C-alpha cells in the first residue's frame, strides 16, 4: 500500500504564501478527503486553514508553540467535513525533514486526531526551501507512521514529488531521451501511473508513445473487439487479430516492445463504475474515446479526484473522395479549467442519447423513429497520420506539463489543429458559473455518493 497526497495548485499556492510570510516557523492545517484504492491511499486536499498569529504562543526560525485549542478546533473541523486532519509546518532554516522535536510531539497530536476523528489516516508535512520542498508522513490509528510516497501539485505545471531517490540505472535504450530531459525526468516517467481510455486510432497511438517514453504503468480501458478495418490505424495490431479485445492487443504490444511498461487491460465501457474507479489510481489520464457519454464521465472524474485529463478528438470531413477539412483537438481537464460541457464539446442531449442507445436499444429505436434522438450513422472516417498527429500533440503537452520545456508563460487549456489550413490555435475558457466544474465544493470531493454524482449501469 502506498500513501499519496494531491493538491490543486490554488490550494498549494495558498499554503506556500502563508508558510513563507515570515522568517519564523509557520504552520497550517489541511483538510483532505481520503480515497482508498487497491494499492493506494490518496489524500485529496480540500482546504488550507492557516494558523493565525493569535493561535501561536511563541515562534522563531527554529521553533513554534501553538495553543492546544487551535489543534482541537482544526481536528473538530476535519471530522465535521469528513476529512483527514493534516498538520503542516515550515523549517525556514532549511532542514528538509522531520526534526527530533517533531518526532517527540506528533505521536500525541495524532493520537488525539484519531481519538476525535477515527479515519483511516491523518498526516503531517514539513516544508522547506521556500515551501518548494515537501516531505510527509501519514499517521495510522495504531500510532505508527508511514512516509508519504508521493505529493502531487496539479495546475499550470504538474509536480510529482516522490519520497526518496530512484537510484536504479536508466536502461540504455532511453539514452537519447535522457539527453533531452535528463535522468531525473526519465526516472519520474518510470514511476508514473497513466490511464488511456480508448485503444483505437488515437488511444493506441498515445499508448505507443507512452510505452516508448518509459511510463511505468498504463491502465488501458476499452470495451471493443478488434475488427480488420481497424488495422490501418491501431498500433500493435495485425490483420489476423480480428475478434481480439483491443486492450489485449495493447497489453501484448507493450510486452513486445519490452521496455518495462506494465499494461493493465480493462475490457469495459467507461459507463460501468468498476472501470472508472480504476482511473482513481492514475496520475494522469488520456481520454481517447469517441463518445460523448465517456467524455462526460471523464470531465467529472478530473474534478472529483484532481486527476488531470487530456481529452483528444479528431474529425475528418470528407466530400466525395476528397477531404474538405481535418480538425484535431486536445483539451485539458482539471480543477480550475472549463469542462467539455462549458466548451460545447459535448452536450447533455448527446450524452442522454448515447446512454439510451447503450442501455435501452428498443426505446432508442423507437425514439429515433420519432426523431427524438439521432440514429447511428456510418463509421466516421479515420486516417492514421491524423490520429497519430493529435496523439503526439497530446503527449507533447503532457511532457510540457511535467517538464515545463515550452517557453510560453501562460499555459493554454485547449489546442485546436486545422490540418487542411496548416493552422494551430489555442485558448483558455472560464467555467460557466452554474456548471459542476465551477463548484469548488466538488474539487477533490473524492468518493461521494453517488459516485461522481451519476447513475451507473448494472453490473453482474
Amino acid at each position: 500500500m502506498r500513501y499519496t497526497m494531491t493538491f490543486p495548485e490554488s490550494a498549494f499556492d495558498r499554503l506556500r504564501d502563508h508558510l513563507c510570510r515570515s522568517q519564523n516557523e509557520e504552520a497550517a492545517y489541511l483538510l483532505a478527503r481520503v480515497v482508498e484504492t487497491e494499492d493506494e491511499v490518496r489524500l485529496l486536499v480540500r482546504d488550507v486553514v492557516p494558523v493565525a498569529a493569535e493561535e501561536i504562543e511563541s515562534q522563531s526560525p527554529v521553533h513554534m508553540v501553538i495553543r492546544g485549542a487551535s489543534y482541537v478546533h482544526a481536528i473538530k473541523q476535519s471530522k465535521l467535513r469528513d476529512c483527514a486532519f493534516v498538520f503542516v509546518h515550515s523549517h525556514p532554516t532549511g532542514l528538509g525533514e522531520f526534526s527530533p522535536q517533531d518526532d517527540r510531539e506528533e505521536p500525541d497530536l495524532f493520537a488525539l486526531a484519531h481519538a476525535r476523528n477515527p479515519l483511516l489516516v491523518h498526516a503531517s508535512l514539513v516544508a522547506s526551501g521556500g515551501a518548494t520542498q515537501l516531505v510527509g508522513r501519514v499517521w495510522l490509528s495504531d500510532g505508527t507512521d508511514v512516509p508519504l510516497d508521493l505529493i502531487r501539485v496539479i495546475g499550470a505545471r504538474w509536480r510529482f514529488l516522490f519520497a526518496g531517490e530512484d537510484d536504479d540505472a536508466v536502461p540504455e535504450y532511453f539514452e537519447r531521451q535522457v539527453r533531452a530531459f535528463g535522468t531525473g525526468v526519465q526516472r519520474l516517467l518510470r514511476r508514473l501511473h497513466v490511464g488511456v481510455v480508448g485503444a483505437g486510432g488515437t488511444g493506441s497511438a498515445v499508448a505507443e508513445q507512452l510505452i516508448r517514453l518509459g511510463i511505468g504503468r498504463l491502465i488501458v480501458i476499452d470495451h471493443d473487439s478488434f475488427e480488420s478495418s481497424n488495422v490501418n490505424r491501431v498500433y500493435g495490431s495485425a490483420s489476423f487479430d480480428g475478434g481480439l479485445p483491443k486492450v489485449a492487443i495493447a497489453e501484448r504490444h507493450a510486452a513486445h516492445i519490452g521496455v518495462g511498461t506494465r499494461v493493465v487491460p480493462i475490457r469495459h465501457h467507461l459507463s460501468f463504475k468498476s472501470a472508472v474507479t480504476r482511473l482513481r489510481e492514475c496520475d494522469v489520464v488520456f481520454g481517447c474515446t469517441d463518445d460523448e457519454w465517456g467524455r462526460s464521465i471523464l470531465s467529472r472524474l478530473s474534478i472529483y479526484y484532481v486527476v488531470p485529463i487530456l481529452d483528444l478528438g479528431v474529425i475528418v470531413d470528407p466530400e466525395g473522395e476528397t477531404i474538405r477539412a481535418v480538425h484535431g483537438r486536445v483539451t485539458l481537464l482539471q480543477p480550475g479549467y472549463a469542462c467539455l460541457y462549458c466548451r460545447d464539446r459535448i452536450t447533455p442531449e448527446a450524452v442522454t442519447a448515447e446512454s439510451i442507445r447503450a442501455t435501452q436499444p428498443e426505446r432508442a429505436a423507437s425514439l429515433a423513429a420519432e426523431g427524438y434522438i439521432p440514429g447511428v450513422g456510418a463509421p466516421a472516417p479515420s486516417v492514421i497520420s491524423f490520429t497519430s498527429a493529435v496523439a503526439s500533440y497530446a503527449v507533447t503537452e503532457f511532457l510540457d506539463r511535467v517538464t515545463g520545456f515550452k517557453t510560453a508563460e501562460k499555459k493554454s487549456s485547449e489546442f485546436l489543429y486545422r490540418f487542411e489550413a496548416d493552422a494551430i490555435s489555442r485558448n483558455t475558457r472560464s467555467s460557466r458559473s452554474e456548471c459542476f466544474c465551477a463548484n469548488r465544493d466538488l474539487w477533490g470531493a473524492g468518493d461521494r455518493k453517488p459516485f461522481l454524482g451519476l447513475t451507473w449501469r448494472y453490473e453482474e
Side-chain angles (χ1 to χ4, degrees):
M1 182 69 70
R2 70 173 188 158
Y3 297 88
T4 72
M5 183 177 292
T6 303
F7 286 86
E9 189 174 54
S10 56
F12 180 80
D13 288 346
R14 291 199 306 275
L15 175 65
R16 181 197 59 207
D17 291 346
H18 174 71
L19 295 180
C20 296
R21 67 177 183 168
S22 75
Q23 297 300 312
N24 294 323
E25 284 196 9
E26 299 286 353
Y29 308 116
L30 308 178
L31 303 182
R33 290 282 286 175
V34 180
V35 175
E36 185 174 8
T37 64
E38 186 175 305
D39 62 358
E40 178 184 355
V41 175
R42 183 176 297 204
L43 280 70
L44 306 176
V45 175
R46 302 270 284 150
D47 201 2
V48 177
V49 182
V51 175
E54 59 268 22
E55 299 174 277
I56 300 172
E57 291 186 0
S58 64
Q59 65 185 145
S60 75
V62 293
H63 95 291
M64 169 183 286
V65 178
I66 300 172
R67 301 182 192 280
S70 175
Y71 294 116
V72 172
H73 179 72
I75 293 169
K76 181 180 180 180
Q77 289 301 308
S78 73
K79 182 175 182 179
L80 290 173
R81 295 179 60 177
D82 193 25
C83 286
F85 164 77
V86 183
F87 175 61
V88 191
H89 71 286
S90 63
H91 282 173
T93 57
L95 179 64
E97 59 186 21
F98 291 94
S99 68
Q101 183 176 353
D102 298 332
D103 294 337
R104 289 191 299 271
E105 295 179 352
E106 287 195 355
D108 289 341
L109 172 62
F110 287 96
L112 175 65
H114 278 288
R116 298 289 184 94
N117 184 5
L119 282 182
L120 178 67
V121 297
H122 298 288
S124 57
L125 297 175
V126 166
S128 59
T132 60
Q133 301 170 32
L134 294 173
V135 294
R137 56 190 176 191
V138 296
W139 288 88
L140 308 180
S141 58
D142 63 2
T144 60
D145 65 277
V146 182
L148 269 175
D149 182 69
L150 168 62
I151 298 172
R152 308 174 187 86
V153 181
I154 303 302
R157 283 281 302 277
W158 302 336
R159 282 167 278 180
F160 301 97
L161 310 174
F162 283 92
E165 295 293 329
D166 177 0
D167 295 327
D168 290 345
V170 175
E172 62 180 355
Y173 35 75
F174 293 124
E175 188 264 343
R176 295 287 186 96
Q177 227 163 258
V178 169
R179 287 175 179 262
F181 293 117
T183 303
V185 169
Q186 192 60 53
R187 287 175 170 155
L188 168 63
L189 295 175
R190 181 166 58 194
R191 300 174 82 170
L192 292 182
H193 296 181
V194 178
V196 178
V197 179
T202 52
S204 67
V206 166
E208 172 89 16
Q209 295 184 44
L210 295 176
I211 291 166
R212 294 186 185 277
L213 280 172
I215 293 297
R217 185 174 75 161
L218 283 182
I219 294 177
V220 181
I221 300 177
D222 196 308
H223 69 291
D224 271 343
S225 296
F226 182 79
E227 298 177 2
S228 57
S229 62
N230 303 147
V231 75
N232 74 312
R233 63 191 182 279
V234 174
Y235 284 81
S237 68
S239 58
F240 50 76
D241 282 335
L244 279 179
K246 288 181 179 178
V247 293
I249 293 173
E251 183 181 26
R252 180 189 69 188
H253 190 48
H256 176 72
I257 294 173
V259 297
T261 299
R262 176 194 169 204
V263 169
V264 180
I266 299 175
R267 191 184 185 187
H268 236 347
H269 189 272
L270 205 61
S271 55
F272 289 96
K273 180 180 175 181
S274 62
V276 183
T277 55
R278 294 301 305 272
L279 294 176
R280 299 176 306 158
E281 306 167 19
C282 295
D283 300 308
V284 181
V285 172
F286 288 79
C288 305
T289 178
D290 58 3
D291 67 288
E292 296 196 19
W293 193 8
R295 286 186 167 123
S296 71
I297 293 167
L298 291 177
S299 292
R300 286 184 170 270
L301 182 83
S302 68
I303 298 297
Y304 278 69
Y305 292 93
V306 198
V307 174
I309 294 174
L310 289 155
D311 184 74
L312 288 66
V314 183
I315 297 176
V316 179
D317 183 11
E319 185 173 23
E321 295 185 353
T322 62
I323 290 177
R324 179 166 52 190
V326 180
H327 293 176
R329 175 183 57 79
V330 176
T331 305
L332 180 59
L333 307 174
Q334 64 185 35
Y337 289 5
C339 71
L340 295 175
Y341 285 111
C342 291
R343 294 179 176 278
D344 296 320
R345 304 303 178 201
I346 61 176
T347 66
E349 294 77 17
V351 172
T352 299
E354 289 180 2
S355 66
I356 293 174
R357 282 200 297 267
T359 61
Q360 304 174 61
E362 292 183 359
R363 182 187 175 206
S366 174
L367 291 173
E370 297 172 15
Y372 287 107
I373 66 173
V376 179
S382 183
V383 179
I384 191 170
S385 61
F386 303 141
T387 54
S388 297
V390 173
S392 293
Y393 286 131
V395 174
T396 299
E397 182 63 16
F398 160 76
L399 287 172
D400 175 53
R401 294 280 170 163
V402 172
T403 68
F405 75 87
K406 290 186 180 179
T407 57
E409 291 185 8
K410 185 177 181 181
K411 302 291 186 184
S412 300
S413 59
E414 185 172 68
F415 300 83
L416 304 172
Y417 309 95
R418 294 175 55 212
F419 289 84
E420 80 286 352
D422 262 346
I424 300 175
S425 60
R426 54 187 60 82
N427 66 74
T428 297
R429 293 189 184 179
S430 299
S431 300
R432 296 170 184 161
S433 59
E434 71 278 8
C435 186
F436 70 89
C437 68
N439 183 358
R440 286 179 175 264
D441 189 50
L442 297 180
W443 294 12
D447 293 340
R448 283 193 175 183
K449 294 182 179 181
F451 180 58
L452 296 182
L454 300 173
T455 301
W456 298 90
R457 296 172 73 172
Y458 174 74
E459 298 186 66
E460 297 182 359

